Amino acid sequence: MCRAPLSRALSALVFFAIGAVVFADPPAVSVQQQADLIPGVGIFVHVVVNCGDGETDGTIEVGARQAGVTGDNVDTVPNAETRQEVAVFIPGSFAAGEAQASATLACGLLLSGLDLGRTINIVER
C-alpha cells in the first residue's frame, strides 16, 4: 500500500520544518519587558534591533498604550548591522505598571521586523 512512502514524506516534512525553526535567524526587533518612566513626561522603551547586514542604518518606530494613554515615536538607529539595544522615548502621561508596546524596524528601505502587542512593565527609576 501507500502508507510507507506517505509516512516517510510526512517524517521528512516534519524534520525540515523543525530544522527551519531551530536554525531561523534571531528576530530583527524585540521589545524588552521593562520601560523607564519619567513621571509626567513619558517613558523610555528598550528595544533590541539587528539589521544583520553591513553598513545599514535602521528606522525604529515604537508605540505604547496604557489605559487611555497612547504615544509613539520614530528614531534612527545608525549602524544597525549588529545586535544592539536602543531606548526610544515616547511622550505621554504614563504611570508605573503594565502597558502594551509594539515596534517595527526598517533596515534601509526594507521592513525587516515586527514585535506587536508585547506586555511591558513601566518602572520609575
Side-chain angles (χ1 to χ4, degrees), residues 19-102:
V21 170
V22 170
F23 295 114
D25 290 334
V29 62
S30 178
V31 175
Q32 302 303 289
Q33 292 179 338
Q34 192 163 308
D36 300 322
L37 174 67
I38 301 173
V41 180
I43 59 175
F44 281 100
V45 176
H46 301 273
V47 183
V48 173
V49 299
N50 185 0
C51 285
D53 52 5
E55 303 282 333
T56 300
D57 291 341
T59 303
I60 183 86
E61 181 174 5
V62 180
R65 176 177 48 87
Q66 182 186 48
V69 180
T70 60
D72 68 334
N73 202 356
V74 177
D75 208 351
T76 300
V77 183
N79 302 319
E81 66 270 7
T82 58
R83 183 184 185 280
Q84 57 185 296
E85 184 175 309
V86 296
V88 178
F89 178 74
I90 300 176
S93 299
F94 294 95
E98 282 193 354
Q100 300 294 313
S102 295

